[in-house]
Each structure stands twice: as structure tokens, then as C-alpha cells.
Amino acid sequence: MENAICDAIKNKVLVFSAASNHGKNSRIAFPARLHGKVMCMFASDGNDEPSISFNPSPSKLSENFCILGEGLSVSNPEKPRQSGTSFATSVGAAIAALVIDFCRHPDGRDIIGDSKDLQRIRGMSAIFRSMVQSIESGRYNCVAPWNLLECSDEMSNWDRNKKRDHLFREIASALRQKHY
């Protein structure tokens, strides 16, 4: 599996993996513990608090991004809500895909520059860091996507193009903060 992940990375595929659902006394599952090769995702609840009942202990080597993965209604609202780091992984990957797609639009290319950085761990980690809402005891980086889209009162009167330009600039600024 590690070889397949390395092949995916060579082909500019950003790989996400669930941390594990076995609680704080367990370690991060493979392949999520492949620091620097995959985006390891932990789960949080609707209040942006880490899901302590099933998240494993955070890694000292990685960013420990935590995103909504608790109490989700998946496919059928009649069924019980679902929770887990796998659900958080899907949410994280979907957000990453939306950011990558947005940055490929022609009106942002001059501002963003090389959007290929978004298809690498360091680039997408920079974007996720720009969305971090809170750090729980210095252990988990809780991602709140709306932080990237934060809008002041002045901005509410802007037209669509000006808002898009602002978002492109926010993403470009976050990318300049990437760690190597």
C-alpha cells in the first residue's frame, strides 16, 4: 500500500487517510501515520471540538488536522447519524477538492500562481492551517472552512468578482506560509 501511495504522490494525487477510531490509547493507523505522504484526518464534532471518544492520540510529527466527522447524516436522514475519522477524511478531501478546483479557474491563475502546490501535502496543509479555528490543548488543529471565507461587513456589499478576487488572495497568502 505504501508503494501505491508513493505512486499516487508522483502523479500529483493528494492522499487523505483516516487517523483511526480506537481512542486515545491507540496509535494512528496505517497509512495515516505516513507523515509527509498523506493528510491524516482526525474527527471533530459540530462545535469544532475534537472527538475524544474515538480519535487516537495526536502525532508529534504531523499537524493533526481535525474536521467535522461526528454526528453526520449520510445518504438517508431516517438512519442514525454516523461518526468516525473516515467521515472526517471524506469531508477534508471534499474541501481540498473544492479549493483545488476553485484555484484552477482562469480568473485566479495570476493571483494563485502555480496551483500544483495544492496537490502536495505542504500546500494543502498551508490551506488547512489558514482555516484552523482552535487548537485543543496544543494537540489537534481544528479546521473550520468558513475561516477561509470570512467576510467583513464591508465585504457583504462586494460584487461576486471582487469576492472571488479576495478569496484567491487569501489562498495565495496561505500558500506563501507553507512549511517545507
Side-chain angles (χ1 to χ4, degrees), residues 64-106:
N64 304 312
F65 290 120
C66 196
I67 200 161
L68 183 63
E70 191 173 325
L72 298 175
S73 180
V74 186
S75 81
N76 183 349
E78 304 291 320
K79 291 187 177 180
R81 292 181 175 266
Q82 306 273 324
S83 297
T85 59
S86 318
F87 294 103
T89 301
S90 298
V91 171
I95 290 167
L98 289 169
V99 169
I100 290 168
D101 179 62
F102 179 74
C103 291
R104 288 179 175 162
H105 291 199

Side-chain angles (χ1 to χ4, degrees), residues 19-123:
S20 135
N21 294 332
H22 299 295
K24 68 178 181 176
N25 293 325
S26 68
R27 65 187 253 185
I28 296 169
F30 178 85
R33 66 175 168 255
L34 293 174
H35 172 69
K37 293 183 180 178
V38 300
M39 295 281 293
C40 173
M41 300 303 297
F42 293 84
S44 65
D45 64 17
N47 292 316
D48 211 24
E49 294 291 328
S51 304
I52 339 180
S53 63
F54 55 83
N55 275 337
S57 295
S59 169
K60 293 176 182 156
L61 300 174
S62 68
E63 307 239 21
N64 304 312
F65 290 120
C66 196
I67 200 161
L68 183 63
E70 191 173 325
L72 298 175
S73 180
V74 186
S75 81
N76 183 349
E78 304 291 320
K79 291 187 177 180
R81 292 181 175 266
Q82 306 273 324
S83 297
T85 59
S86 318
F87 294 103
T89 301
S90 298
V91 171
I95 290 167
L98 289 169
V99 169
I100 290 168
D101 179 62
F102 179 74
C103 291
R104 288 179 175 162
H105 291 199
D107 55 331
R109 287 189 190 136
D110 290 340
I111 299 167
I112 299 292
D114 187 5
S115 65
K116 290 180 185 160
D117 272 349
L118 292 169
Q119 294 170 256
R120 296 182 182 100
I121 296 294
R122 68 176 185 243

Side-chain angles (χ1 to χ4, degrees), residues 127-169:
I127 299 301
F128 275 46
R129 264 193 309 282
S130 75
M131 295 187 277
V132 167
Q133 178 75 16
S134 62
I135 299 175
E136 193 269 345
S137 303
R139 299 170 6 133
Y140 298 101
N141 288 315
C142 295
V143 176
W146 50 89
N147 285 339
L148 186 63
L149 306 171
E150 206 163 355
C151 191
S152 67
D153 289 339
E154 173 195 344
M155 293 164 66
S156 62
N157 296 322
W158 290 358
D159 68 13
R160 179 178 185 270
N161 290 335
K162 192 168 181 179
K163 287 177 184 175
R164 288 174 60 83
D165 183 73
H166 175 74
L167 184 53
F168 284 128
R169 291 183 191 289

